[in-house]
Amino acid sequence: MEQRESTSEAYLRQLIQSFKRLRILDMHATNVRKVPRSICKLKHLTYLDLSHNSALKRLPNSIKRLQNLQTLNLSHCIALEELPSEIRKLVNLWNLDIDDKARAKNYCRLRELNGLNEIQGSLRIENLGCITNAVLESKAANLIGKHSLESLELHWGYHESDDAVIRDRDEALLDGLRPHSNLRNLMIDGYRGESFPRWMMETFVFFLPNLVEVSLQLCQRCKHLPQLGQLPHLESLWIWFLTELEYIELDHSSTLTTSFPRLLSLRIGYCENLKAMPLIPHLEELMLSKVNPELINHIFGLNKLKRLIILEMELLECLPECLESPTSLESLIIWKCPRLTSLSLSMRNLSNLQHLNFRNCEELDLSKDESGNILDLQGLKSLRSVDIVDVPKLASLPPWLLQANSLEQLSIKKCLNLKALSEQIEALQSLQSLEIVWCPSLRSLPEGM
């Protein structure tokens, strides 16, 4: 049905009259301006796609009679002003797609979610900061009744305010938005309360035992986290812009022998008051971005770490001690660490390291160790790729790199003082890709290249 001309209401009425047993109706990008009230005659309809109709402003209230409708796609309907007042009567709807381009998201009310208990997959709720009656709206949303929901995102929006009224309102709102215990993924973004609700702080593992991923972002007043370490299935944890966070609260009476028994990925950023972390025995990926320098040297027991990412550590002068033990490390990424001067000799133990990436490290000398001696990293026998971007002290390739016989890819960009490539680069028999960009001091390549 894709066409340039507008799909008329009369045409749609004729279509509905002719095909009353339709189960799937896809009218995306067909210039629909108005959906006829007779849409309710398609009683067998399970899938309705009205996406990318930029002139569509509203749906008829008669749509509430589509009791078999499971999917309603309204994404990229930029003129959509509101949803039907009784959309909650679509009791079998499990997929409602309204993206942030639609005006309607500013007019929806939490209570409209009340009866949509068959909704499945993911649910994203935005602009929670605009809710006025926090207690009534959050309770009416009935998130705890949505037993098939797997992923929930709660976004408050970014409003700068220290008003105690806003703090109390947000705390009451989140308290009423407790989801069903089947939930697997939870994101809380922009929450302005000082503490998380009781269902998170006291009995998190009881109320949400199946959580696999948790993301807490821009909760800038919270000083303590829920008892995340008790969650038996938690694999991924993001903690971002919790600027007041002091520590991760643990319940030492837990029957678990260790905290975070299954956590594989941990990402912490912009939490400069956080100075300590519990033992995380199975961690495979760790990202630290703009955190307290004390934190980086108080993370131990990373014997299974495969990927370490260090970003925006302005005061970091040497690599963390945790690099001394994880022979399992496969990827090391260091960006925007202006005071980092050298790599560590302990990197010789990283026999499984495959990928190295350095970017925007003004003082980093890749050729020397902490004592100023020539750096010997002959233990890097598995190294496959190296990316070096904006490292001003790189004047020539470090000796250890020229001995990396397994190296397949080498990329050097914006290294303004790189003057020469050693003839030894030809000895890198495994090298398949060499990329040199914006290195104006490099005048020539070795003969034969």
Side-chain angles (χ1 to χ4, degrees):
M1 292 181 61
E2 291 192 15
Q3 54 192 28
R4 291 185 179 181
E5 297 181 0
S6 175
T7 300
S8 69
E9 186 180 2
Y11 174 79
L12 289 177
R13 282 199 298 267
Q14 180 183 356
L15 183 148
I16 292 168
Q17 184 64 29
S18 301
F19 302 99
K20 291 185 178 180
R21 291 188 173 272
L22 274 180
R23 295 179 181 272
I24 297 175
L25 180 55
D26 185 347
M27 295 190 294
H28 81 276
T30 53
N31 291 322
V32 172
R33 293 180 178 271
K34 189 175 182 180
V35 177
R37 294 180 60 190
S38 58
I39 188 77
C40 63
K41 294 182 179 180
L42 300 179
K43 297 185 181 299
H44 300 281
L45 200 65
T46 62
Y47 180 95
L48 177 58
D49 189 347
L50 293 166
S51 63
H52 295 270
N53 286 300
S54 58
L56 182 64
K57 292 185 177 181
R58 58 180 61 87
L59 300 177
N61 280 327
S62 62
I63 202 171
K64 68 185 180 183
R65 294 161 63 182
L66 297 178
Q67 294 296 297
N68 292 307
L69 191 65
Q70 298 177 6
T71 295
L72 176 58
N73 190 349
L74 298 168
S75 66
H76 291 82
C77 293
I78 58 176
L80 189 66
E81 295 177 350
E82 59 183 351
L83 294 176
S85 58
E86 296 186 274
I87 195 172
R88 62 183 180 275
K89 293 187 176 180
L90 296 176
V91 294
N92 287 309
L93 190 69
W94 59 267
N95 184 8
L96 174 61
D97 191 345
I98 304 178
D99 59 23
D100 59 4
K101 297 176 179 62
R103 298 179 188 174
K105 72 170 191 169
N106 295 321
Y107 296 90
C108 296
R109 296 294 180 263
L110 282 175
R111 59 177 175 267
E112 295 177 19
L113 296 170
N114 182 272
L116 301 179
N117 292 333
E118 297 303 317
I119 194 166
Q120 301 179 22
S122 61
L123 174 62
R124 177 186 175 103
I125 305 176
E126 297 186 350
N127 289 332
L128 285 169
C130 298
I131 301 295
T132 54
N133 197 330
V135 175
L136 284 179
E137 286 284 332
S138 60
K139 295 292 184 183
N142 189 30
L143 294 188
I144 196 172
K146 294 163 182 38
H147 52 85
S148 297
L149 201 62
E150 292 187 0
S151 178
L152 175 64
E153 294 187 17
L154 302 174
H155 297 264
W156 265 256
Y158 308 122
H159 307 280
E160 293 185 7
S161 176
D162 292 327
D163 192 345
V165 174
I166 292 177
R167 177 199 64 199
D168 295 342
R169 184 187 66 191
D170 280 11
E171 290 179 356
L173 183 58
L174 186 55
D175 183 56
L177 291 175
R178 174 184 151 196
H180 193 276
S181 59
N182 288 338
L183 196 74
R184 293 173 58 83
N185 304 328
L186 174 64
M187 171 185 281
I188 298 176
D189 179 23
Y191 173 64
R192 293 164 295 181
E194 288 187 359
S195 62
F196 292 103
R198 185 186 64 84
W199 58 266
M200 291 181 67
M201 294 301 292
E202 297 180 11
T203 46
F204 205 20
V205 70
F206 175 76
F207 286 130
L208 294 176
N210 297 302
L211 281 176
V212 175
E213 295 185 10
V214 172
S215 178
L216 303 174
Q217 302 180 14
L218 283 162
C219 305
Q220 296 186 358
R221 295 180 179 177
C222 296
K223 294 184 178 181
H224 314 303
L225 293 184
Q227 298 165 357
L228 299 169
Q230 293 186 21
L231 294 172
H233 304 291
L234 188 66
E235 295 182 0
S236 175
L237 174 59
W238 281 53
I239 305 173
W240 218 253
F241 277 101
L242 271 69
T243 53
E244 296 297 317
L245 183 64
E246 297 176 351
Y247 60 89
I248 295 179
E249 194 169 40
L250 295 174
D251 182 359
H252 298 290
S253 65
S254 170
T255 56
L256 297 174
T257 55
T258 59
S259 60
F260 299 102
R262 290 195 181 181
L263 192 65
L264 300 177
S265 176
L266 173 62
R267 299 192 174 200
I268 303 175
Y270 299 86
C271 300
E272 296 185 86
N273 284 327
L274 183 63
K275 300 179 181 179
M277 282 290 298
L279 184 67
I280 306 176
H282 302 291
L283 198 64
E284 293 184 357
E285 179 187 58
L286 175 61
M287 173 188 281
L288 298 173
S289 178
K290 210 169 182 68
V291 298
N292 193 302
E294 293 183 26
L295 178 64
I296 203 166
N297 285 320
H298 285 82
I299 300 179
F300 303 101
L302 303 180
N303 296 324
K304 297 185 178 180
L305 192 67
K306 293 183 178 179
R307 182 176 172 87
L308 177 61
I309 306 170
I310 301 174
L311 309 175
E312 297 186 86
M313 297 288 292
E314 295 180 2
L315 301 179
L316 182 69
E317 296 182 358
C318 58
L319 291 182
E321 296 178 9
C322 64
L323 280 180
E324 294 181 1
S325 56
T327 56
S328 57
L329 195 69
E330 297 177 357
S331 179
L332 176 60
I333 299 172
I334 302 176
W335 287 11
K336 296 184 179 181
C337 296
R339 296 192 184 184
L340 181 65
T341 58
S342 64
L343 301 182
S344 172
L345 278 172
S346 61
M347 287 183 59
R348 289 180 297 184
N349 302 323
L350 304 181
S351 56
N352 290 308
L353 189 66
Q354 299 178 22
H355 308 288
L356 270 174
N357 191 316
F358 305 101
R359 182 186 295 261
N360 298 104
C361 297
E362 288 88 339
E363 297 298 321
L364 180 60
D365 188 338
L366 293 172
S367 298
K368 297 182 179 180
D369 60 23
E370 303 98 316
S371 303
N373 301 317
I374 298 298
L375 184 62
D376 182 6
L377 297 180
Q378 294 187 39
L380 303 183
K381 298 179 180 180
S382 301
L383 195 60
R384 293 185 178 181
S385 70
V386 174
D387 292 89
I388 306 172
V389 181
D390 198 2
V391 179
K393 291 204 170 184
L394 183 72
S396 60
L397 296 184
W400 59 266
L401 183 58
L402 295 170
Q403 297 170 2
N405 295 325
S406 58
L407 190 66
E408 298 176 355
Q409 181 262 328
L410 175 59
S411 177
I412 304 175
K413 300 177 182 178
K414 292 182 67 176
C415 293
L416 305 185
N417 294 310
L418 179 66
K419 295 180 174 60
L421 293 181
S422 171
E423 298 286 346
Q424 291 178 269
I425 196 172
E426 297 181 13
L428 299 177
Q429 298 296 321
S430 300
L431 192 64
Q432 301 174 10
S433 172
L434 174 62
E435 182 181 27
I436 302 176
V437 178
W438 203 357
C439 298
S441 298
L442 183 65
R443 299 300 181 184
S444 62
L445 296 175
E447 293 186 9
M449 292 193 68

